[in-house]
Amino acid sequence: MRRCLQQRRTPGHRNLSSRFLATTAAQASWRHAVEQKNASVNALVYVVPDDAAPVPEGPLNGLTVAVKDNICTKNMPTTCSSAMLRDFQSPFDATVVHLLIASGATIIGKTNCDEFGMGSLNVHSVHGPVINPYQHPSSAVDWHARERRSAGGSSGGSGAAVAAGMCDAALATDTGGSVRLPASYCGVVGLKPSYGLISRWGVVSFADSLDCVAVIGKGVTSASKLFDVLSVHDEKDPTAARPVTRKNARELCSEHLTGWASYSGDLTKLCIGIPQEYFPTSLDSSIVSPFRRVVRALKNRGATVLPVSLPNTRYALSAYYVIASAEASSNLARYDGLQYGLHVPSPPDSVARSPGEVYAHSRTAGFGAEVKRRILLGTYALTADAFDNYFLQAQQLRQCIRDDFMRVFRVPNPLARSATPNEAGVHVLLHPSAVRTAPHLDEQDGLDTYTQDVLTVPASLAGLPVLSVPIAVGGEGDGWPLGVSVVGQWGCEPMVLAVGATIEDAERDVHS
């Protein structure tokens, strides 16, 4: 692992493509460029060696991809950015990594993340925080001396690596917004798929009922390419959607897609809902004007825009942190220093007599402060005294939040027993991806860090697909990137991506 960390420093402002990997000399040039840039971003914690195996022919040839450090790779370390797994080397590749390699993608390394995926700012990492690579074009200071802001979490390394041009796309995970926040803060595209569409086999678990493997790309096209390759049924993943469910979802989505010619720019038969609860008091006022500009652009292309209400949204953040912490407490119990993870022997003068007291030394040294906090919260929520008042009620609220989404969508839910179209519903929802632009790295204390997820956790609780698309900031706000999120019915990724492509096209018109 020491060798891995020595290889991880990385910069430049040039996109890296497959031509840099064609010869040994090109590989050395590529590595030097990445290491220079990474020294100021800290997005990569491992870079592939110069003698990496050649990639096979496939649909992703020429695409460079980074992999989040909580996704298992047999030829690279998988540390989850935690001291607990500092020396762990997986004996196998996760299914998503295998699919990438088989499709011809060039994997360049592993990306920094919040420890075990727990965080919104990517500051809870044994490798140090990720620094947002964005710099406003009008800034007069050197790029390396730019303003130090968060890249978002927990997949900040993946978002920053793509934004900095170190790779074309990146694999990440999204539990409650871990891809959409980095995408918004760094100005890239992030897709959280429907729960169960992409295999989680080989992904280190945080919260099993929420975790999704997600993709980050420079644009909608690169994100869509990765999704098409990865969204296949995997028998090794017990949470994977069955082939018949996938087929039903495709048919339902296709039936409603034929009503509007999305890629031609004609959205005449598209109905977009604006959830009224997604404009809380914590939303920065500078976000409203760019968001309205995007809505106007879609209306100018013929889309119908309607206000909708998701009344249980106000409970989503509380329900999420109870459920996620409880599942994290259960999943991380395996890291006791004996079965799995870092082992710290008991001090000679220790009076430890029980297994728990022996485990405590390893867990105290191996876990960071944020992980310990969530384990304690989750363990309490699962105790006999608190189970009914916290965990059970959180699950009930989760169902209410799901019902809110199902009530407003026009496309029927393929997971429901009866799939009845709602002709008065909307095809997709549109809302800001985050309540503000990227926070400064010194803004990491207090409960405000948890409220970063307020707009992202509802769709995670419902297991729905969401695409965050960067929008031009214009003259509003502080000049840092913003994102808008497109939310669709379960299995409606083609529809979500089509709307995202239209927004992307509209934003190009703003820049031109």
Side-chain angles (χ1 to χ4, degrees), residues 466-480:
V466 189
L467 180 74
S468 179
V469 184
I471 59 176
V473 295
E476 302 93 353
D478 56 10
W480 278 71

Side-chain angles (χ1 to χ4, degrees), residues 32 41 57 75 83 105 143 145 153 159 169 176 182 288 290 321 344 356 370 397-398 402 409 428:
H32 177 70
V41 179
E57 291 295 321
N75 294 322
W143 180 75
V288 177
Y321 274 105
V344 176
E370 182 62 23
L397 287 170
R398 182 181 196 172
R402 283 197 188 109
F409 280 127
V428 296

Side-chain angles (χ1 to χ4, degrees), residues 497-512:
L497 289 164
V499 176
T502 304
I503 295 173
E504 197 174 55
D505 182 62
E507 288 303 299
R508 288 195 196 99
D509 294 341
V510 173
H511 284 291
S512 61

Side-chain angles (χ1 to χ4, degrees), residues 428-431 465-469 484-488 496 499-500 503:
V428 296
L429 300 172
L430 192 71
H431 65 80
V466 189
L467 180 74
S468 179
V469 184
V484 293
S485 286
V486 184
V487 187
V496 167
V499 176
I503 295 173

